[in-house]
Amino acid sequence: MRVSQSSWDATKADGPRCKMRRGLLTAGGGGPVYDVGVIVIIASALLVGIGSAHAADLGARPYTKAPAYVAPQIYDWTGFYVGVNAGIGVGRNRTDHSVLPDVAFGHFYSQPQGFAGGGQLGYNWQTNSSFLGLGPMVFGLEADIQGGDMRDGRTTLLGDFFSTNFNQQIDWFGTVRGRVGIANGPVLSYVTGGYAYGNVKTTTTQTEFFGAVSTASTNRLQSGYVVGSGVEAALGGNWTGKIEYMYVNLGNNTDAFTGAFALPQTVATDVRENIFRVGLNYRIGGNSAYVPVAVANWTGFYLGGNVGSGVARDHSSLSRPLIGEFTETFNLAPDGFNGGMQAGYNWQAGNIVFGLEADIQGSSQRDNKACFDLCLPGVIAIAFDSKLPWFGTARGRIGYSVGSTLFYATAGYAYGGVKTDVTTINFPGIAASTGLRADRGGYAVGGGIETPLTFLGLFGPNWTTKAEYLYVDLGRTTGTVVNAVGATYDLSTKVEEHIFRSGINYHFNSPVVAKY
């Protein structure tokens, strides 16, 4: 990646003047958040990845005394780097519980969630030629190893004469990946993919109503693949910072065990983890260290759009009378695409940028796979259909501008619509459907990277692009479900969303280019 270069010229008529032309390009993308999210990686890469900033010529500005000459500086991503990262992992692991062993007993998602952090090292090689006029390409190889505490032991479901608890944990994983990106100035946007491996622990505990307990446990190394995307930008010197999403597929496993009343059973799980993280890298060697140019001008109103994807981990419970009052606990996991608009205003004091932003989103997020109580279609079942049709936020932003790159954190109010339908089928096939409908409020926190944008000259210096992560908590919704024979169930669900998205903004007041 090449930093902005400046050239100084003077005219005979006007005396010493300074004119600077500055260029910046970003490329990269928001990533898949699970199976449908793989498509989002490609779409977001086209949105953020083609982003570039090239400054329009600034008007001539007179100086009483010309500053000292600064030699042009070339920034090249070629070379080794080492770094650290930290973030959160959220699983969406389809789990099927069968008895005898081919009779479906329940379908749900195990969702190991928790901290993930570790280190990475890699090597980049930057080409000399521009790719489609967007900027030089960067090819790289990166390996990382992560420790974590991603676990889910919440799911406990009811059988006719026993209850079953499912516990899954991922305490470490690693990847070896290629990276391909487009670079210009101090920003590299990239897609990444390769090999993934990790340790998966699964424990199933079954308790008879008469007190006997059966436990089956496995601890195995599993492997698969990883895909993702990110944006990395120079911070100064040899340091760079990044925001990154990765979809980690560790394959499938099936555990067989003998449970309550000596019943042969199986638990089949697809292990799929979504990783949202930030990182810090130190370049070893390289052509030169990065010296940020004058800070960009972020002050003023802006309006834009965004697209991305999300995965939820909604803690839910269903209380129903059967041999006394029994409460089943589980997660609903709506996933899908999100897209919408945002508007905001920034204030600036030196490198510090303060802002307010509001957005409204449409969403296709849905989970209609959760089903308990034998799950025999048309015979007996309790089936769930959970949706998040829309949501929005009103947030504050605070950031630090390094040249024309803004690193920011954001937090504020969140609101949205919550829909959970429950269909109960009582033997011999009597069905009824009821559910929850509510508009809920809560909070949102997150962060991102925003940089100027152009695409083959179609965008001017007033445009920017961003990559952003948001955690949205819409609180808990409770209600009553009545089945076909009049039995009353109490349903409760708490909506917690993880959003990764890309966006573009148009700034009205002034171009987002360096101020001199």
Side-chain angles (χ1 to χ4, degrees), residues 44 47-48 302-308 338-344 357-361 395 408 450 453 459 463-468 501-507:
S44 297
L47 178 61
V48 179
Y302 61 88
L303 177 69
N306 65 79
V307 64
N338 303 308
M341 300 180 62
Q342 69 271 348
E357 181 174 294
D359 66 89
I360 188 70
Q361 310 290 127
R395 296 168 284 108
Y408 65 89
E450 187 170 359
L453 162 72
F459 295 88
W463 291 90
T464 61
T465 181
K466 67 177 180 178
E468 183 177 67
R501 62 189 185 184
S502 300
I504 58 174
N505 288 324
Y506 181 84
H507 295 254

Side-chain angles (χ1 to χ4, degrees), residues 91-117:
R92 193 175 189 268
N93 304 341
R94 172 68 182 266
T95 301
D96 298 314
H97 179 207
S98 299
V99 182
L100 296 176
D102 298 321
V103 177
F105 200 82
H107 310 295
F108 58 94
Y109 287 101
S110 296
Q111 293 193 273
Q113 175 177 294
F115 170 80

Side-chain angles (χ1 to χ4, degrees), residues 417-444:
V418 178
K419 296 177 64 176
T420 305
D421 294 320
V422 183
T423 299
T424 59
I425 304 175
N426 296 90
F427 186 80
I430 305 172
S433 295
T434 55
L436 304 182
R437 301 285 192 278
D439 294 338
R440 299 289 306 175
Y443 67 91

Side-chain angles (χ1 to χ4, degrees), residues 5 79 99 139 180 214 227 250 252 259 266 329 485:
Q5 301 184 14
V99 182
F139 299 90
V180 179
S214 302
V227 291
L250 293 180
N252 309 327
T266 60
T329 55
V485 296

Side-chain angles (χ1 to χ4, degrees), residues 32 40 42 44 51 62 104-105 110 125 142 146 150 197 245 278-279 313 318 332 348 377 445 469 484 510:
V40 174
I42 300 172
S44 297
F105 200 82
S110 296
W125 175 72
E142 180 173 295
Q146 310 293 124
M150 295 175 286
Y197 57 97
Y245 166 80
V278 295
R313 188 177 188 260
L318 185 71
L332 296 175
Q348 188 165 350
V445 295
Y469 164 79
S510 58

